[in-house]
Amino acid sequence: MTDTTLSASHYGDMNLDPYWMPYTHNRYFKRTRPLDRLIVGAQGAYYTTAEGKQVFDCLSGLWCSVLGHRPAKIVEAVKRQLDTADYIPAFQMASPETFRLAERIAEVAPADLNRVFFANSGSEAVDTAIKMAIAYHRLRGDAARTRIIGREKGYHGVGLGGISVGGMVANRKMFAPAMMLGVDHLPHTHSLKDMAFSRGQPTWGTHLAEELERIVALHDASTIAAVIVEPMQGSAGVVVPPVGYLNRLREICDRHGILLIFDEVICGFGRLGHWFGAQAFGVTPDLITFAKCVNNGTVPMGGVIARQGIYDTFMQGPDHVVEFFHGYTYSGHPLAVAAANATLDILHEEDVPARMLALAKLLETAVHSLKGEPNVIDIRNAGVSAAVEFAPLAGQPGVRALRVFEHALQRGMLLRFTGDIIAMAPPVISTPAEIERMIAVVGESIRAAG
């Protein structure tokens, strides 16, 4: 573990000003200088703060460290790769291990999704999938199909494509002039009145998928390339699809020749108790975006899995010509690939998706025990993911969840908060006692927050 003996004298005197922190209230953070929010080490299910305190990682990093931190097999794989090669170009060249990784991902993906394109993040994966969808239709002679349909409250990263199809107002409002044209949005599927405190998939809300038919009628199917949704909306606060909703989207897309994209950056590689959310909900899309858990968050990696037929559509013309003018310097970076192959080893050898199913039942029972705590207006769960939503303080939205976050951190629990929602998605190595303790601390923190 990292040496933290200099915490008080060294970390406490650090200059925090130069670092512009992402998705962070910079002024509040730098004014309060919270040593318990400076992380200097990670091992298993715990972080070590600059104060030398161990805190339980309630959200697997940022939904990514599904196996816990620094599993020995992954650490050794990355070290071995550094002994062999630090960087291998992805254009016109490749590492054999990248081909092997793509084959392994294709083996666990649903149906005929068997062609894998590597990027470096979920944001890049989404922009890649959008480009694939538009180019696919163009190659088939449907050049008018350029419109992408997203969903309210959707989070698809922070690229211009991702915020265009995404539905989080705070991510969009400052960048309207730069966003993609020809984007529309389905309504979100969360209704407190109709589905509060649902366990797993709500039974209300299937009809909301019919809004896609209205959008198709408004724009005409001949202009629409794809619909993109998260099977389970993690960043919006674990918004779970109603029973039958995703199935209905699939049916409507099929009827009108529209591609269906599942953004599985959070759902993919075991989080929902299956390899992908597509399998968990029994609906097969045409494209899947992935990132995060593919290599346990060890080295940045993302990508897109495409149906065989989509790939084949691109494979035309002279065979010495580039078929898809897209890619990244770090696509299939050897360190990321090494970490991903080691992660897949563990996912298979330890049957992690099945273990997640068992842990999901435990988490569901535990988190719903918080019903009745002060100001709790909803509890939601899907797989090993859960969220608790609070009634906002008058005139101070977001403050109550921030208070819960801070009280929990003082008690050794690192939660995730967004708006007036706290989220939990602990790693698969979590014990029943750790889940029980996490929920107990959340309850204490809710009461302390007022």
Side-chain angles (χ1 to χ4, degrees):
M1 295 296 290
T2 303
D3 184 4
T4 59
T5 56
L6 299 178
S7 295
S9 60
H10 178 68
Y11 297 114
D13 295 332
M14 284 181 65
N15 180 9
L16 304 183
D17 291 337
Y19 179 28
W20 190 343
M21 301 172 68
Y23 275 113
T24 301
H25 38 221
N26 278 258
R27 290 166 297 168
Y28 179 80
F29 187 100
K30 293 168 184 179
R31 174 174 58 80
T32 56
R33 301 183 64 84
L35 284 178
D36 59 355
R37 289 168 70 179
L38 292 178
I39 304 297
V40 299
Q43 182 66 49
Y46 292 84
Y47 281 117
T48 302
T49 71
E51 297 173 311
K53 183 178 180 180
Q54 298 286 297
V55 296
F56 183 69
D57 183 4
C58 301
L59 200 84
S60 302
L62 280 174
W63 306 93
C64 53
S65 303
V66 65
L67 304 175
H69 298 286
R70 302 178 65 244
K73 177 168 283 194
I74 299 176
V75 172
E76 289 306 313
V78 173
K79 288 179 178 178
R80 282 196 305 272
Q81 181 57 54
L82 274 172
D83 287 337
T84 304
D86 56 350
Y87 174 77
I88 297 170
F91 302 172
Q92 312 297 333
M93 308 290 286
S95 160
E97 289 302 298
T98 309
F99 285 100
R100 186 168 77 93
L101 176 61
E103 180 182 26
R104 298 180 74 189
I105 292 173
E107 286 172 350
V108 296
D112 65 340
L113 278 86
N114 58 15
R115 293 294 181 265
V116 182
F117 191 102
F118 289 110
N120 310 290
S121 66
S123 296
E124 290 181 359
V126 166
D127 280 11
T128 300
I130 290 171
K131 292 171 81 171
M132 282 181 177
I134 292 171
Y136 165 79
H137 288 293
R138 188 178 187 89
L139 289 167
R140 296 177 72 247
D142 289 334
R145 285 187 181 264
T146 58
R147 189 177 300 278
I148 307 293
I149 310 301
R151 185 167 58 181
E152 296 169 358
K153 291 192 176 184
Y155 179 74
H156 300 292
V158 294
L160 287 174
I163 64 170
S164 298
V165 299
M168 290 188 163
V169 175
N171 290 348
R172 294 165 50 86
K173 63 184 180 181
M174 296 185 73
F175 312 109
M179 287 196 291
M180 290 172 53
L181 300 176
V183 173
D184 208 335
H185 291 79
L186 291 160
H188 66 78
T189 62
H190 185 229
S191 169
L192 281 172
K193 179 175 74 71
D194 298 294
M195 57 176 63
F197 301 102
S198 295
R199 293 186 177 224
Q201 287 188 268
T203 56
W204 182 94
T206 308
H207 65 283
L208 293 171
E210 300 301 328
E211 284 295 307
L212 181 54
E213 288 281 20
R214 182 189 62 79
I215 291 174
V216 169
L218 174 65
H219 299 295
D220 194 81
S222 66
T223 70
I224 302 174
V227 172
I228 181 169
V229 295
E230 301 152 274
M232 182 274 290
Q233 295 178 258
S235 296
V238 188
V239 177
V240 187
V243 173
Y245 172 86
L246 295 174
N247 308 70
R248 186 67 184 126
L249 287 185
R250 175 75 273 180
E251 292 168 2
I252 296 170
C253 286
D254 284 344
R255 180 181 306 120
H256 297 290
I258 299 167
L259 297 182
L260 179 60
I261 305 170
F262 276 2
D263 184 343
E264 298 229 26
V265 168
I266 284 177
C267 300
F269 298 96
R271 173 61 59 189
L272 298 184
H274 296 263
W275 283 95
F276 293 94
Q279 295 147 333
F281 296 116
V283 179
T284 303
D286 301 292
L287 296 164
I288 287 176
T289 65
F290 66 88
K292 295 188 185 289
C293 293
V294 66
N295 66 10
N296 207 49
T298 306
V299 180
M301 171 173 267
V304 179
I305 316 171
R307 280 188 179 273
Q308 173 79 47
I310 292 175
Y311 175 83
D312 288 344
T313 299
F314 282 84
M315 298 300 118
Q316 54 184 284
D319 63 9
H320 65 277
V321 174
V322 172
E323 301 96 356
F324 185 37
F325 282 87
H326 177 72
Y328 303 95
T329 300
Y330 302 110
S331 290
H333 191 284
L335 296 185
V337 169
N341 273 318
T343 298
L344 285 172
D345 287 344
I346 298 171
L347 291 171
H348 281 291
E349 291 166 5
E350 300 185 9
D351 200 3
V352 168
R355 288 173 59 196
M356 280 296 209
L357 273 181
L359 188 59
K361 295 175 182 176
L362 179 66
L363 178 62
E364 177 178 273
T365 299
V367 74
H368 280 277
S369 71
L370 295 170
K371 183 177 180 179
E373 292 287 355
N375 303 301
V376 172
I377 59 175
D378 193 17
I379 298 171
R380 306 182 285 274
N381 67 284
V384 186
S385 306
V388 180
E389 185 167 352
F390 308 108
L393 282 169
Q396 299 182 80
V399 170
R400 179 163 276 133
L402 172 60
R403 289 179 179 174
V404 173
F405 167 83
E406 291 180 331
H407 282 291
L409 192 55
Q410 292 169 9
R411 292 167 168 82
M413 294 289 158
L414 178 58
L415 300 166
R416 170 76 172 149
F417 70 96
T418 177
D420 276 298
I421 301 166
I422 59 163
M424 293 158 275
V428 70
I429 60 173
S430 304
T431 66
E434 287 169 332
I435 298 297
E436 181 180 343
R437 174 61 181 156
M438 177 180 73
I439 297 302
V441 168
V442 171
E444 294 168 8
S445 302
I446 291 170
R447 294 187 290 275

